[in-house]
Amino acid sequence: MKANDSLLGAAQRRSEMELAMQQVERTTAAPAANATWVDDLTKAVRQLEAALDHHIVEVEAPTGLLDQIVDTAPRLQRAAEQTRAHHELLAEQASALLGQIAEGRGLDPLPVEDIRAAVLAFLNELARHRQQGADLIYEAYDVDIGGY
């Protein structure tokens, strides 16, 4: 896989993740009194989790973007390793968030504010990851992958 192909794939995954993040934010901000709020939020977070998984699989694949970055700029090996570790943390956080939502479903009253706080913390962590990824790509290739 060429760097240009990897960069194009990374840009596509970024776009998918951004759209999924926006959907989670919109769903989280909707009135929780709506009978479908928990189901809608669960669906949106699962879609975001899938977008994150696609991103991770693509950039961590053998000869994927992270390997290419290290091949191009060996000085960025530590940053690439940190990105891999952050991927693991993000995947764990997505799973934990889905667990928290499912657990909250069984409580009366539904812990809406706790769920919203957890969702927003996760979205913030994803936003930081996207920013760090854009910086890493720029550092390696002097290319702005875009803020989408």
Side-chain angles (χ1 to χ4, degrees), residues 24-41:
V24 168
E25 196 281 326
R26 278 191 299 275
T27 304
T28 302
N34 182 333
T36 64
W37 186 77
V38 171
D39 292 335
D40 294 344
L41 182 58

Side-chain angles (χ1 to χ4, degrees), residues 88-131:
E88 188 175 321
L89 174 67
L90 290 169
E92 290 170 3
Q93 288 177 338
S95 180
L97 180 57
L98 285 166
Q100 182 177 356
I101 294 167
E103 188 177 296
R105 180 189 306 264
L107 300 177
D108 188 26
L110 178 68
V112 173
E113 292 310 313
D114 292 341
I115 291 171
R116 282 183 170 147
V119 168
L120 294 176
F122 181 59
L123 290 174
N124 184 53
E125 194 67 25
L126 282 171
R128 278 183 0 125
H129 179 74
R130 293 177 74 242
Q131 293 161 354

Side-chain angles (χ1 to χ4, degrees), residues 29-107:
N34 182 333
T36 64
W37 186 77
V38 171
D39 292 335
D40 294 344
L41 182 58
T42 299
K43 179 181 176 184
V45 173
R46 282 189 179 136
Q47 290 172 340
L48 178 53
E49 181 183 45
L52 175 62
D53 288 345
H54 291 144
H55 161 74
I56 292 170
V57 166
E58 185 163 313
V59 301
E60 288 193 7
T63 71
L65 184 58
L66 289 177
D67 285 351
Q68 290 175 21
I69 286 172
V70 172
D71 287 346
T72 299
R75 73 186 188 287
L76 298 175
Q77 181 169 351
R78 182 160 188 247
E81 290 169 1
Q82 290 172 330
T83 298
R84 290 179 201 276
H86 200 222
H87 284 160
E88 188 175 321
L89 174 67
L90 290 169
E92 290 170 3
Q93 288 177 338
S95 180
L97 180 57
L98 285 166
Q100 182 177 356
I101 294 167
E103 188 177 296
R105 180 189 306 264
L107 300 177

Side-chain angles (χ1 to χ4, degrees), residues 8-35:
L8 179 59
Q12 290 171 337
R13 297 297 84 73
R14 284 177 67 78
S15 181
E16 290 170 8
M17 195 175 324
E18 181 190 28
L19 292 173
M21 289 170 69
Q22 289 172 353
Q23 184 59 41
V24 168
E25 196 281 326
R26 278 191 299 275
T27 304
T28 302
N34 182 333

